[in-house]
Amino acid sequence: MRRIWQIGTMITAFFLFVYMFPFSLTQPTKETIIFFPLDPTVRFTKATTNLKLQPPKQNGKYPLLWMVSSTLDRQVYLRQDISLLFADGRLVGTLSEWKQNSQTLLQKKDVRTKDSHFFQAISFHYGEIHKGSTIGSSQKMSGDQLYVIDSPYSPLTSFRRPRTSEEKEWQSVLTKTTNESLQYTAETLFNHFSIQEKNYYHLYLPELIVYNEQPFPDLSFEKTQEIIGKLWEGLYRNYFLGIKREDGSVISPIGSTVPLILLSKDYSHLIVLTETKNGEKIQLVQTIS
């Protein structure tokens, strides 16, 4: 009899739990970026990425404020922004935020580091739009770059464009160091994967921002935006959330080189190349339909 009473009490407790917490056993909606046909009636009224040095130094490190914000002209089913921060051509951080039935997103993060660096950030702003049984999307990119000079021979400072001779010298040194490192990595990746460089347009991920407003060579603006949207979908799944290796395992993208995008001149496919923190060479191939 006592056993029956215990079972009855457990059943009652279970239904009371379900009643009090009706959604506790359901799967939450997961963040995701999926390219759907772009809806020309929906647009971003704001899409910004900003890097700002925040003196003073603490424990030998300076804080870099990284802000990403965006606003659509209306509330949509799903909003998501992702952002990547590179220092001297290597990934040092990521940001991501998503909300359902939202219009505006705002993200802030303090990155604490030391020494002089050339920082580049690029963000992808995304909206999934539901109109009855039709699903569309809206997208835009934004970015920023900042040179931070942290030297025992000069005060802590930052600039986007050099104004003094000293800043021009620092820009030259940091840019040259970054470019030479990336060029060497690119050449080793081309050789490793037997890629004929002449068959591709190539650009590094932060340079993709210029195609917010202009098409790829000999291509329509609409097709350009479709390629960009599908590229970001692939980058999100296979780079941002973790680099997928040939054996199926996933490793962190932090420390990897800025993705090099190779767009075939016949627009049949694109390739994304990067080298991990440990020197592993990664190739991601995406067919263009």
Side-chain angles (χ1 to χ4, degrees):
M1 189 72 179
R2 184 179 179 184
R3 178 66 175 170
I4 295 173
W5 180 85
Q6 289 176 330
I7 293 173
T9 302
M10 291 171 64
I11 293 173
T12 301
F14 172 79
F15 281 106
L16 181 61
F17 175 83
V18 172
Y19 175 77
M20 293 177 66
F21 305 98
F23 304 107
S24 60
L25 301 179
T26 61
Q27 280 284 88
T29 301
K30 293 183 178 179
E31 56 181 311
T32 184
I33 289 177
I34 300 174
F35 178 82
F36 293 103
L38 292 171
D39 187 334
T41 68
V42 181
R43 66 183 183 89
F44 279 92
T45 57
K46 177 183 179 182
T48 61
T49 300
N50 184 261
L51 300 174
K52 185 178 181 181
L53 179 64
Q54 300 277 84
K57 294 171 68 172
Q58 297 177 358
N59 300 319
K61 294 184 176 182
Y62 56 83
L64 180 72
L65 179 60
W66 176 16
M67 294 181 59
V68 179
S69 63
S70 64
T71 302
L72 269 177
D73 61 1
R74 69 198 71 184
Q75 180 176 294
V76 296
Y77 175 77
L78 177 70
R79 281 290 342 273
Q80 184 166 359
D81 284 354
I82 63 173
S83 187
L84 302 100
L85 177 64
F86 301 93
D88 309 324
R90 294 270 177 176
L91 184 67
V92 294
T94 61
L95 282 176
S96 178
E97 184 176 13
W98 66 279
K99 289 182 181 179
Q100 279 191 288
N101 303 315
S102 186
Q103 186 174 357
T104 298
L105 293 177
L106 173 63
Q107 300 178 77
K108 296 181 182 181
K109 184 176 183 178
D110 271 333
V111 178
R112 295 189 174 274
T113 188
K114 61 182 180 179
D115 299 329
S116 301
H117 294 291
F118 173 38
F119 292 100
Q120 295 171 288
I122 182 169
S123 305
F124 184 68
H125 311 279
Y126 171 81
E128 183 178 318
I129 306 153
H130 290 205
K131 293 181 177 179
S133 59
T134 303
I135 302 178
S137 62
S138 185
Q139 65 188 38
K140 194 164 187 178
M141 296 177 288
S142 67
D144 196 12
Q145 66 177 39
L146 191 70
Y147 294 89
V148 176
I149 311 306
D150 179 19
S151 168
Y153 307 106
S154 60
L156 179 66
T157 186
S158 67
F159 60 89
R160 287 179 177 80
R161 294 180 179 84
R163 297 176 298 276
T164 66
S165 59
E166 184 179 5
E167 289 180 349
K168 289 178 181 178
E169 185 176 350
W170 272 111
Q171 181 195 42
S172 176
V173 169
L174 292 174
T175 302
K176 182 179 179 182
T177 301
T178 299
N179 290 343
E180 286 181 349
S181 176
L182 290 176
Q183 182 62 37
Y184 174 79
T185 301
E187 290 174 359
T188 61
L189 288 166
F190 291 149
N191 292 332
H192 181 81
F193 292 110
S194 301
I195 294 172
Q196 296 296 318
E197 184 182 0
K198 65 180 181 180
N199 296 330
Y200 296 89
Y201 301 113
H202 52 90
L203 68 160
Y204 288 100
L205 185 60
E207 299 172 327
L208 195 63
I209 295 174
V210 299
Y211 296 101
N212 261 338
E213 309 296 340
Q214 68 183 56
F216 291 136
D218 303 316
L219 205 65
S220 70
F221 182 73
E222 290 72 21
K223 188 62 178 181
T224 296
Q225 293 305 305
E226 178 185 333
I227 291 173
I228 289 173
K230 290 180 178 179
L231 168 62
W232 274 104
E233 178 182 346
L235 284 171
Y236 180 69
R237 292 180 179 179
N238 301 294
Y239 181 79
F240 187 92
L241 295 178
I243 296 174
K244 293 188 177 180
R245 305 158 80 187
E246 289 184 2
D247 63 4
S249 60
V250 179
I251 58 176
S252 170
I254 300 299
S256 64
T257 57
V258 56
L260 173 59
I261 301 164
L262 302 178
L263 188 61
S264 65
K265 292 182 178 179
D266 64 359
Y267 292 108
S268 62
H269 67 284
L270 62 81
I271 300 173
V272 178
L273 298 175
T274 187
E275 184 179 84
T276 68
K277 181 180 180 180
N278 297 326
E280 186 172 351
K281 295 168 179 57
I282 303 296
Q283 175 182 233
L284 306 172
V285 182
Q286 190 176 71
T287 301
I288 298 174
S289 57

